[in-house]
């Protein structure tokens, strides 16, 4: 899960769309650079009810991500509600985190925080696009809850995972999300992204 800066030479063209595997460093240059807009008007509800079933599989997004990212998963009442599991290699800290429903030490993080997106374009979106953004698996990751709280709504200029082996993958994912949805970056954020990705120039977009 935390593959970090492993080179990938699949020959994909620079700036390929998310899922196309283009070089993340080149993709940074395709992001719009603007100043951060005011946070005025931001509410979590503006991105829709949390963890709706966007893919029609009968399960909420949160449980879908837990099933994807945890190992030793056990269910409660069918195959949707994850009762327990193990985050064996937490991407943010590199440690092991146990998940138990109702007293979880695992959060589902928005790699690009909703508040950050709001200040960089999302306040101008239609509600349906904000709902898709908030529930897109590309932008979601099961992580250590305490690390996620420390991150808050920070961008790459203000917070990076303590687990340095994951930073290339983390920043590449943020670039992919911002490219997909047209979320802009500040100059400081762009510079921080480039600094990380110059250390792993073959890192691909997810």
């Amino acid at each position: 899960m935390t593959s970090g800066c492993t080179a990938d030479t699949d020959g994909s063209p620079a700036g390929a769309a998310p899922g196309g595997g283009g070089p993340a460093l080149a993709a940074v240059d395709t992001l719009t650079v603007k100043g951060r807009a005011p946070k005025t008007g931001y509410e979590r509800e503006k991105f829709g009810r949390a963890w709706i079933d966007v893919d029609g599989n009968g399960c909420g997004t949160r449980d879908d991500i837990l099933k994807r990212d945890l190992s030793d998963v056990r269910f409660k009442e069918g195959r949707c509600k994850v009762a327990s599991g193990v985050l064996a290699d937490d991407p943010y800290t590199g440690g092991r985190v146990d998940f138990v429903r109702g007293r979880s030490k695992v959060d589902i993080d928005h790699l690009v925080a909703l508040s950050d997106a709001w200040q960089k374009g999302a306040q101008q979106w239609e509600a349906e696009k904000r709902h898709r953004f908030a529930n897109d698996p590309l932008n979601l990751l099961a992580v250590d809850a305490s690390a996620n709280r420390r991150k808050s709504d920070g961008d790459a200029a203000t917070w990076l995972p303590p687990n340095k082996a994951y930073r290339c993958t983390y920043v590449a994912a943020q670039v992919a999300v911002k490219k997909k949805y047209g979320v802009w970056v500040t100059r400081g954020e762009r510079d921080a992204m480039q600094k990380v990705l110059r250390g792993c120039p073959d890192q691909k977009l997810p």
Side-chain angles (χ1 to χ4, degrees), residues 3-27 138 167-176 197 200-206:
S3 57
C5 303
T6 302
D8 184 351
T9 55
D10 65 359
S12 299
L25 180 58
L138 180 67
R167 288 182 179 179
C168 290
T169 303
Y170 173 79
V171 171
Q174 287 193 327
V175 173
L197 294 172
C200 44
D202 294 320
Q203 178 72 42
K204 303 298 182 182
L205 292 176

Side-chain angles (χ1 to χ4, degrees), residues 181-197:
Y181 286 92
V183 179
W184 70 70
V185 294
T186 64
R187 189 173 301 277
E189 181 184 5
R190 180 203 61 188
D191 293 348
M193 287 175 160
Q194 290 175 333
K195 181 178 180 180
V196 170
L197 294 172

Side-chain angles (χ1 to χ4, degrees), residues 46-108:
K46 295 288 180 67
F47 288 82
R49 183 169 56 85
W51 313 130
I52 58 178
D53 176 16
V54 292
D55 59 5
N57 70 348
C59 304
T61 306
R62 181 173 185 269
D63 283 300
D64 284 341
I65 301 304
L66 289 171
K67 286 186 286 184
R68 183 193 71 184
D69 292 351
L70 301 182
S71 58
D72 300 327
V73 173
R74 296 187 178 183
F75 295 92
K76 174 184 179 181
E77 302 170 2
R79 301 293 293 179
C80 273
K81 290 186 178 181
V82 176
S84 64
V86 177
L87 188 58
D89 188 12
D90 169 52
Y92 286 177
T93 66
R96 171 192 166 111
V97 187
D98 293 322
F99 171 84
V100 179
R101 197 177 194 95
R103 53 181 190 274
S104 176
K105 297 180 180 178
V106 175
D107 279 353
I108 304 303

